[in-house]
Amino acid sequence: SAVISQKPSRDICQRGTSLTIQCQVDSQVTMMFWYRQQPGQSLTLIATANQGSEATYESGFVIDKFPISRPNLTFSTLTVSNMSPEDSSIYLCSVEKDFSGSGELFFGEGSRLTVL
Amino acid sequence: DAKTTQPPSMDCAEGRAANLPCNHSTISGNEYVYWYRQIHSQGPQYIIHGLKNNETNEMASLIITEDRKSSTLILPHATLRDTAVYYCIVMGGGSNYKLTFGKGTLLTVNP
């Protein structure tokens, strides 16, 4: 299994500011993913964070708005830049279980962001 | 990735089996069926996955039809703690585990 810690668990931010969310895993993992869950909606993949290379963004998400860092195999950050109320969501970090290729992913508890 | 269709909601009595259906009629030969669930205010939790054979683990059983166009997740003895949104996801091995979540089924287990 994998234990994933996200910080902050929740925050209230002002329009136009930026917030960085941290994801710490208790073991080394190859692939880390960042998801967004808007109120009452399902999860949407933002990007895949690969160690040692640029993150790979999904359609509709850009690096300027959601810069991601992946400095090592246990840590990643997602920044939500120049926030607007539409960015109010839960942001979730996810990791692949191991290198077995099972496709079993572990998720953090999420970071609930409210933008005023 | 193939799309899936699930009923938006289901009810189940506590202690009874919960059978959650999923249609994935356009599934490809190398795509697996995954089930995750999300309990309120928590991150999603992996339940089970399979290719074409039925699978069982400590949480649930997965029944995949012979033509692989549909599947059923079975919680053998549902408890109140099983109340959650259940997501059926089809994903190929070459997709680098990029899960595409649909709307899922809200299962409500009633006392």
Side-chain angles (χ1 to χ4, degrees):
Chain A
S1 65
V3 177
I4 303 171
S5 300
Q6 283 189 236
K7 292 181 180 179
S9 58
R10 60 178 61 232
D11 208 341
I12 300 174
C13 302
Q14 297 299 316
R15 180 195 301 259
T17 63
S18 298
L19 178 73
T20 295
I21 302 167
Q22 299 179 1
C23 178
Q24 178 73 54
V25 189
D26 68 342
S27 57
Q28 294 185 341
V29 294
T30 302
M31 306 186 73
M32 297 179 76
F33 306 91
W34 286 98
Y35 284 83
R36 179 176 73 180
Q37 188 169 29
Q38 295 176 300
Q41 302 296 314
S42 186
L43 287 82
T44 301
L45 180 64
I46 298 172
T48 303
N50 305 309
Q51 194 268 334
S53 64
E54 292 278 333
T56 303
Y57 290 83
E58 298 301 304
S59 176
F61 297 96
V62 295
I63 187 171
D64 290 346
K65 176 66 176 177
F66 299 100
I68 289 171
S69 76
R70 180 82 197 273
N72 56 52
L73 292 176
T74 64
F75 186 78
S76 178
T77 67
L78 169 75
T79 299
V80 186
S81 303
N82 188 25
M83 288 183 286
S84 67
E86 292 71 36
D87 294 319
S88 296
S89 296
I90 300 173
Y91 293 86
L92 297 115
C93 171
S94 172
V95 303
E96 179 193 358
K97 176 184 178 183
D98 51 34
F99 298 104
S100 69
S102 70
E104 177 181 343
L105 301 185
F106 287 90
F107 284 80
E109 292 298 309
S111 299
R112 183 182 295 270
L113 174 62
T114 301
V115 184
L116 304 178
Chain B
D1 289 337
K3 293 184 177 181
T4 62
T5 304
Q6 299 178 253
S9 63
M10 294 183 64
D11 287 299
C12 177
E14 187 178 20
R16 304 297 294 269
N19 297 281
L20 293 93
C22 179
N23 287 321
H24 31 78
S25 59
T26 60
I27 191 170
S28 299
N30 66 343
E31 290 180 317
Y32 287 75
V33 180
Y34 288 81
W35 283 84
Y36 282 76
R37 73 179 182 183
Q38 187 174 25
I39 297 171
H40 184 61
S41 296
Q42 296 183 21
Q45 176 189 24
Y46 166 84
I47 301 173
I48 199 168
H49 77 281
L51 182 62
K52 56 181 180 180
N53 297 319
N54 297 339
E55 302 288 344
T56 296
N57 62 21
E58 65 278 4
M59 289 183 67
S61 295
L62 173 60
I63 308 298
I64 302 174
T65 58
E66 190 170 347
D67 64 6
R68 302 211 321 123
K69 293 183 177 182
S70 65
S71 60
T72 301
L73 178 75
I74 301 173
L75 307 179
H77 306 286
T79 71
L80 299 180
R81 289 174 293 181
D82 291 322
T83 293
V85 177
Y86 287 77
Y87 297 100
C88 169
I89 303 167
V90 169
M91 183 170 68
S95 64
N96 290 326
Y97 314 118
K98 293 195 297 183
L99 296 176
T100 301
F101 286 81
K103 296 184 183 300
T105 296
L106 172 60
L107 174 69
T108 302
V109 181
N110 300 304

